[in-house]
Amino acid sequence: MDFNVKKLACGAGVFFTRAVQFTEEKLGQAEKTELDPHLENLITRADSTKNWTEKILRQTEVLLQPNPIDHTGARIEEFIYDKLDKKLPSRTTNTELLGQYMLEAANEFGPGTPYGSTLITVGEYQKRLGGAERDLLQASAVGFLTPLRNFLEGDWRTISKERRLLENRRLDLDICKARLKKAKLAEAKAAAAPDFQETRPRNYVLSASASASGWESWDVETDPGVSEQRKLLSEEADKAEHELRVAQAEFDRQAEVTKLLLEGIGSTHLNHLRCLQDFAEAQATYYAQCHHHMQDLQRELSRCANSISTPHSAPVVCPDPVSSAFLSGPPSPGASVSSLSSQRPLAMEQTQLPVTGTRKAKVLYDYEGHDGSELSLLADELIIVHTVPGMDPDWLIGERGNQKGKVPVTYLELLS
C-alpha cells in the first residue's frame, strides 16, 4: 500500500511538472523543442486523413441509412452483435417493406381487381428493388465502411497513443534542459563567489608599529561551508546533465516509433483507395439492377393497362413520369398549349396526336414484342409511327421498313 501511494505521488508530481512546462511554453516563458520538419509534415497529413475519413464515413452512413433513428439503432445493433461475436442478421429495407405492404393491400382489395393486380405487380418489383438495396448495404458495409471504421478505431488509436507519449517525452526533455540550465547557472555563481573568511587570531597581540599605524592584523581561513556548497552544486549539475541525456535518448526513440507509424498512413491511403473502388462498383451494380427492374416494371404495367382496359370505360393506365417527359413533339393544330402539359398523364398526351398522320419517333429502350401484332424495338433506332381510329392511346402503330406492328408509347420519344 505504501508503495502504491508513493507511486501515485510520484506520478502526480510528474504530471504537475509537465503541466507547468506546457503552460510556460504557451505563455512564451520557456523554450520548446521543435520536432523534425519531416515528422511535422507526417503529423499534419495524419490529422487530415483522420478528419476526412471521419467525415466520409459519417456521410456514407447517412447516405445508406438516411433515417437518423434507424441509423443509431443499426449502429447499436452492430456493436452488440460484434461484442457477442455473432453474425448480424440482414435487415428488411424500406423498399422491401413498401412492397410487402402493397402485396398485403392487394390481398385485401382482391388480387383479381385491376387495382389489386397492379398492386401485386408493383409490390413484387419493389421487393426486388429492396433486395438490390440490401445487397448494396451489405457490400458497402464489408468493403468500404468497415475498413474506414477499423482505421479510426484501431490504427488511429495506436497513432494517437504514441503521439501523446511523444509529447510527454518532449515535455520531459525540455524540463531537463531547463533544470540543467538552472544548475549550471547556480554552479557558475558559486564559482565566482569568494572562498575565504576573515577571523581574529586566537593569540591576539597588538604590535607597537600596528598601534602606531592605527590598524590591526587579521588571519585568513578557508570557509568549509562554501566548498561543500560548490560540491553539491557540481553534483546537481552532473545529475541534471545525466537526466538530460536519458530524456534525449527516450525522446529520439519515441520520435522514431511515431514516425514509423505515421509513415504507414500511405498504406492506409492505398487500402482506402481499393475500398473506394469496391464501393463505386457496388453502387454501379445496384443502379444497373434498379434500371433493369424498372424497365421490366414498365413493360408489365403497359401489358396490365392493355389487359384491363374495356370499351365502356376509360383505360386504366399507370403514367410514366420519366418517359412522358420525352414527349417533345408539337401538339396538333387547334390544340391548346398549357405550361403544365409536360405533367399531364400519358393518355392526355396521345389525344393530341393526329389520327392518320405519321411522325418519326426515337426508341428509348429495347422492347421485345410479345406476339405477332407487336413490333420489337432496339434502343436509339428511328421508326415511323401513326395512330388509327379507336386504338388504345398507350399504343401506336410502328413501321420499320417492311416490318409493322404495335409499339408502346412509353418506349418512344416522339420527334417533329
Side-chain angles (χ1 to χ4, degrees):
M1 182 65 182
D2 187 31
F3 174 78
N4 293 335
V5 172
K6 289 182 179 179
K7 184 177 181 181
L8 180 62
C10 181
V14 171
F15 176 81
F16 178 76
T17 306
R18 290 172 178 172
V20 171
Q21 176 68 24
F22 181 80
T23 305
E24 291 179 349
E25 289 176 355
K26 290 297 182 181
L27 297 176
Q29 300 175 357
E31 296 182 1
K32 177 181 177 180
T33 300
E34 298 297 336
L35 299 178
D36 179 71
H38 177 58
L39 181 57
E40 288 282 6
N41 292 334
L42 291 176
I43 291 176
T44 302
R45 184 188 186 197
D47 289 336
S48 179
T49 301
K50 180 255 185 182
N51 293 334
W52 284 111
T53 300
E54 283 182 336
K55 292 181 180 180
I56 293 174
L57 174 63
R58 184 164 54 249
Q59 190 59 35
T60 305
E61 290 175 339
V62 172
L63 173 66
L64 299 177
Q65 194 75 40
N67 191 332
I69 298 178
D70 292 346
H71 168 67
T72 304
R75 289 301 306 275
I76 294 176
E77 186 179 8
E78 291 177 0
F79 176 79
I80 293 175
Y81 275 89
D82 181 65
K83 293 302 181 183
L84 296 177
D85 196 18
K86 292 185 178 181
K87 184 179 180 181
L88 182 68
S90 59
R91 291 184 296 271
T92 302
T93 63
N94 293 330
T95 312
E96 287 178 310
L97 189 60
L98 174 61
Q100 185 62 33
Y101 287 164
M102 288 182 176
L103 295 178
E104 294 176 0
N107 291 331
E108 184 170 344
F109 295 141
T113 63
Y115 182 41
S117 62
T118 304
L119 277 174
I120 292 177
T121 301
V122 177
E124 288 292 343
Y125 279 95
Q126 293 298 323
K127 294 186 70 174
R128 295 181 186 180
L129 292 173
E133 181 183 0
R134 187 175 63 252
D135 293 340
L136 171 65
L137 294 176
Q138 293 176 348
S140 301
V142 174
F144 188 63
L145 296 180
T146 299
L148 265 61
R149 195 176 295 121
N150 288 341
F151 165 72
L152 294 174
E153 297 177 356
D155 295 346
W156 183 253
R157 287 186 178 180
T158 303
I159 292 175
S160 300
K161 178 181 177 182
E162 296 300 328
R163 283 179 59 183
R164 287 193 299 268
L165 189 57
L166 175 64
E167 180 66 12
N168 290 336
R169 293 288 181 264
R170 186 196 63 76
L171 290 173
D172 294 340
L173 176 62
D174 290 335
I175 291 171
C176 291
K177 288 181 178 180
R179 189 178 299 163
L180 177 61
K181 184 177 181 181
K182 189 179 299 184
K184 290 290 186 182
L185 182 60
E187 186 181 16
K189 287 182 179 180
D195 57 352
F196 60 85
Q197 63 179 355
E198 295 179 345
T199 60
R200 286 181 182 272
R202 291 180 181 177
N203 299 323
Y204 175 71
V205 177
L206 284 177
S207 62
S209 60
S211 298
S213 61
W215 56 271
E216 301 176 355
S217 63
W218 297 79
D219 287 342
V220 178
E221 296 181 358
T222 302
D223 188 357
V226 174
S227 300
E228 186 68 21
Q229 184 180 8
R230 287 179 178 177
K231 182 179 180 181
L232 292 175
L233 291 176
S234 178
E235 292 177 355
E236 186 69 21
D238 293 341
K239 179 181 178 182
E241 191 171 357
H242 173 72
E243 291 177 352
L244 177 61
R245 288 195 296 268
V246 174
Q248 184 70 54
E250 292 180 352
F251 172 77
D252 293 340
R253 187 184 307 110
Q254 185 60 36
E256 289 298 324
V257 172
T258 306
K259 187 182 298 184
L260 289 175
L261 289 174
L262 293 175
E263 288 175 348
I265 293 294
S267 300
T268 300
H269 286 185
L270 293 177
N271 184 33
H272 289 181
L273 170 62
R274 290 189 291 267
C275 296
L276 193 61
Q277 292 173 342
D278 294 340
F279 177 61
E281 183 177 353
Q283 280 186 310
T285 302
Y286 167 68
Y287 290 125
Q289 291 176 343
C290 290
H291 179 69
H292 175 71
H293 292 325
M294 293 309 298
Q295 279 188 320
D296 293 342
L297 177 58
Q298 285 181 324
R299 297 191 188 99
E300 292 293 335
L301 291 179
S302 298
R303 188 183 303 114
C304 176
N306 287 332
S307 63
I308 63 178
S309 60
T310 60
H312 303 289
S313 62
V316 180
V317 295
C318 298
D320 179 11
V322 176
S323 299
S324 62
F326 290 107
L327 298 178
S328 57
S332 60
S336 60
V337 179
S338 172
S339 61
L340 301 177
S341 60
S342 62
Q343 300 178 1
R344 294 177 179 176
L346 193 59
M348 296 179 62
E349 291 284 348
Q350 291 304 314
T351 59
Q352 298 181 2
L353 290 174
V355 175
T356 57
T358 60
R359 298 172 63 177
K360 288 185 179 181
K362 179 181 177 181
V363 179
L364 300 175
Y365 316 106
D366 294 341
Y367 178 76
E368 183 178 355
H370 296 87
D371 51 44
S373 64
E374 298 181 6
L375 181 65
S376 298
L377 304 174
L378 296 175
D380 297 329
E381 70 171 330
L382 297 178
I383 62 173
I384 303 298
V385 296
H386 62 87
T387 61
V388 295
M391 186 176 180
D392 187 340
D394 292 330
W395 293 80
L396 295 174
I397 299 298
E399 296 183 5
R400 185 202 305 112
N402 297 328
Q403 298 178 340
K404 184 177 181 181
K406 295 193 302 179
V407 292
V409 177
T410 55
Y411 284 71
L412 304 175
E413 176 186 357
L414 301 181
L415 307 176
S416 59

